Amino acid sequence: DIPTGVLADKWGRKTLLTLGISSLFLSSLIYGISNSPKSYIFGTVFFGLALATINGAIQALTYDSLKEQDNHKTYSQTYGRLQAAFAIGAGIALFSGGFLAQHFGFRFNFRLALVSSGVALLMSFLLTEPSQHKFGANKPSLKIAVKTSLSTIRTSSVLIAVAVLLLVVRTFQWMSDSYSQLVFNKFGIALSWIGVLSFLAVGGGAVGRLLAHRFH
């Protein structure tokens, strides 16, 4: 997110968001016509690019839009709601996608993703670019900011434990997201049930994102 946040500063939030959604559209297209592991991996490159690019652009776009309205203090709450909406959409897609893949095959889901990402791409052209919020001229360099962050973490045993916990959990989560559904399907669990379980997991994340700002 940090490199794409910098690119959002340089190229503009709307431009980066449009590029990210274009990558999402391309990945869905490649997935839909893929017939080998190599072509599928090629599509995954565009999918990964889309995830990082869209995320960084939306964070910057949200903050600047709120800043223009002098409402930036609600950023955590607003961004939490955006993430909750994303989780709800992903949950619905996972729930229905399991049944659709069970009856029509995986390619059908990728073709549906082409439609939704195409609509998102058209909508991105209608966005208004907000004026970029500039932090103070005396802001520290990235190197100093990283050193300050690390020294802050080192002085607190709680922060060290949280950092290690997040590293382990996120590593496991990425591996799980990438491979768990394939494993479950290999064991003979119906795709429709995998969709239901995924929906419940993502739904829990949506609730957490809506409530997180209340607990700081």
Side-chain angles (χ1 to χ4, degrees):
D1 290 350
I2 292 174
T4 52
V6 173
L7 285 177
D9 289 339
K10 193 169 184 179
W11 296 346
R13 285 79 167 99
K14 180 178 175 179
T15 301
L16 197 70
L17 185 61
T18 302
L19 284 173
I21 298 173
S22 299
S23 296
L24 187 63
F25 183 87
L26 276 174
S27 70
S28 301
L29 178 63
I30 295 169
Y31 283 152
I33 62 176
S34 174
N35 55 12
S36 71
K38 287 182 179 179
S39 57
Y40 193 87
I41 290 170
F42 184 61
T44 304
V45 172
F46 284 100
F47 182 70
L49 182 64
L51 282 182
T53 307
I54 292 171
N55 204 20
I58 286 180
Q59 287 180 36
L61 186 71
T62 302
Y63 186 86
D64 283 347
S65 298
L66 290 171
K67 183 70 175 175
E68 277 192 346
Q69 302 168 25
D70 197 26
N71 205 21
H72 57 285
K73 290 182 180 178
T74 65
Y75 172 76
S76 294
Q77 181 179 357
T78 303
Y79 189 69
R81 287 174 176 171
L82 285 172
Q83 287 292 296
F86 173 79
I88 291 168
I92 293 171
L94 287 164
F95 183 80
S96 58
F99 288 95
L100 292 171
Q102 184 80 36
H103 292 94
F104 302 107
F106 286 107
R107 289 186 192 274
F108 185 77
N109 282 341
F110 292 132
R111 288 164 187 161
L112 283 180
L114 270 176
V115 176
S116 58
S117 56
V119 171
L121 185 58
L122 291 174
M123 291 178 69
S124 71
F125 291 116
L126 302 176
L127 289 172
T128 301
E129 179 82 23
S131 57
Q132 290 188 25
H133 170 64
K134 302 293 184 183
F135 289 94
N138 296 324
K139 68 176 181 178
S141 66
L142 180 60
K143 184 178 179 181
I144 294 173
V146 170
K147 284 184 68 175
T148 304
S149 299
L150 290 174
S151 62
T152 302
I153 292 172
R154 280 200 301 266
T155 57
S156 169
S157 57
V158 174
L159 287 179
I160 291 173
V162 170
V164 172
L165 180 64
L166 285 174
L167 178 65
V168 173
V169 169
R170 289 296 289 165
T171 302
F172 173 78
Q173 185 180 348
W174 275 108
M175 292 176 68
S176 174
D177 287 348
S178 298
Y179 301 112
S180 61
Q181 294 185 0
L182 295 173
V183 173
F184 292 151
N185 190 37
K186 204 74 174 174
F187 281 122
I189 299 175
L191 294 172
S192 52
W193 278 110
I194 297 172
V196 171
L197 292 172
S198 301
F199 167 75
L200 293 173
V202 174
V207 173
R209 288 179 173 93
L210 285 173
L211 298 178
H213 72 280
R214 295 182 181 274
F215 301 98
H216 306 288

